[in-house]
Amino acid sequence: MTSLPERAGRRCYQPVNAFHSMVYFSPDLSDALAALGIEDSRAAYLAGRGAAFGRVGAGAITASFYNFSHELVARHVPSVWDIASPEDVLAARLRAADATLRRLLGDEAVASAEMAEAAELALRATEVCSRAARPLYAAHADLPVPDAPHLAFWHAATLLREHRGDGHLMALVRAGLDPVEALVSHTATGRGMNPDWVRSTRGWTDADWAAGQERLRERGLLAADGELTEAGAALRAGLEDETDRLDAAPYEHLGAVGVARLTELAGGFAKALAAAGAFPADLMGKG
């Protein structure tokens, strides 16, 4: 039995994830990786998020990222490691997180007691995260916790994001959604990335997208107009509930009071980041 209000963990995760993910939209990361010689934006993302694995091949990235075209991944991995080592990429990513948080939130917020409290709460939540069958979480869990509170919070947010993300992939596989079907159905909820963003960053063609839509229609999950059917909406809602179940441990460990406080703190920082332009205006929605 949970001791938390319904979906409290999910509500906490959302701003925590925003605090983590802002780095991948930051020009500071692009600049830091370009200085290492990684100038292609898609190579930069694959390297930036996958460097915790070390010098892996395309297969490991495709499997653990799930919704990227293997052809796209293979164009950049493992050749990206000949441009910059995983260790150098990780160091550049952390420098970019530092620069972005200072630029968008300001030095006062970065050094605040609230930032230190958020870091302490988020790190406490990660104490019970499981490495089992969670490759991206496990790889990042092997990285050292930065000393600076704002970077410690960013690190903890990364762990919580990857822990939930790995669990979500388990739910997608169980539901029988392949990578394109997962993206199409998520976009159709209106809570996912804009289809143009998805196709350009994940490497899927218009034909791939249309074929995924047709497979969902054949299963009765997507209507002719591209909207989810009742069965499709129920499937997506069930996926989120299953993801909540698989991701419950860190929030149960933190407890209701701690989860409420982390949600408040992370929410404040996430709103400030969004207001400062951390995310593209056309990132989300059905397009």
Side-chain angles (χ1 to χ4, degrees):
M1 293 291 291
T2 181
S3 62
L4 301 178
E6 186 177 9
R7 296 175 183 165
R10 190 191 305 182
R11 288 192 297 274
C12 185
Y13 163 78
Q14 289 166 346
V16 166
N17 178 50
F19 192 87
H20 152 77
S21 63
M22 58 84 201
V23 76
Y24 294 114
F25 300 95
S26 172
D28 300 305
L29 180 61
S30 300
D31 291 346
L33 293 182
L36 298 178
I38 304 174
E39 298 181 350
D40 184 282
S41 61
R42 290 184 287 192
Y45 180 83
L46 296 170
R49 191 168 170 221
F53 285 131
R55 196 181 177 92
V56 295
I61 299 294
T62 300
S64 57
F65 285 26
Y66 193 75
N67 58 23
F68 282 70
S69 159
H70 181 66
E71 288 71 22
L72 169 65
V73 175
R75 284 202 295 272
H76 302 291
V77 180
S79 59
V80 71
W81 310 130
D82 295 327
I83 301 171
S85 72
E87 294 78 12
D88 286 345
V89 170
L90 287 172
R93 186 180 67 164
L94 194 62
R95 290 195 302 272
D98 176 55
T100 304
L101 290 171
R102 291 184 184 279
R103 176 170 54 83
L104 297 181
L105 296 180
D107 288 341
E108 184 176 346
V110 162
S112 66
E114 289 79 8
M115 185 69 75
E117 183 183 3
E120 189 276 328
L121 289 167
L123 286 168
R124 191 192 313 164
T126 68
E127 291 172 349
V128 296
C129 288
S130 171
R131 283 179 167 83
R134 287 180 164 89
L136 273 166
Y137 164 76
H140 283 87
D142 286 342
L143 301 178
V145 179
D147 292 329
H150 66 296
L151 295 179
F153 183 29
W154 184 81
H155 173 78
T158 302
L159 296 183
L160 292 171
R161 182 264 175 272
E162 299 298 7
H163 188 268
R164 184 177 179 89
D166 286 338
H168 186 62
L169 301 190
M170 298 178 201
L172 289 174
V173 171
R174 183 175 179 179
L177 292 178
D178 68 26
V180 176
E181 294 163 2
L183 290 170
V184 170
S185 61
H186 189 214
T187 296
T189 67
R191 296 186 295 274
M193 289 173 62
N194 180 301
D196 290 337
W197 268 94
V198 171
R199 288 192 290 268
S200 65
T201 60
R202 271 56 178 167
W204 302 110
T205 66
D206 290 347
D208 294 328
W209 194 262
Q213 289 178 315
E214 184 58 30
R215 292 193 297 274
L216 291 174
R217 291 188 184 104
E218 290 173 356
R219 292 176 60 182
L221 301 175
L222 196 71
D225 61 0
E227 297 293 325
L228 291 173
T229 62
E230 184 175 346
L235 181 85
R236 288 300 322 188
L239 279 168
E240 295 304 322
D241 289 341
E242 177 70 359
T243 303
D244 288 344
R245 185 187 69 79
L246 292 167
D247 191 41
Y251 304 101
E252 290 285 350
H253 180 63
L254 196 54
V257 173
V259 166
R261 180 59 173 159
L262 180 56
T263 303
E264 177 186 9
L265 292 167
F269 292 130
K271 287 178 182 177
L273 286 167
F279 304 100
D282 62 345
L283 178 63
M284 307 300 286
K286 297 182 181 181

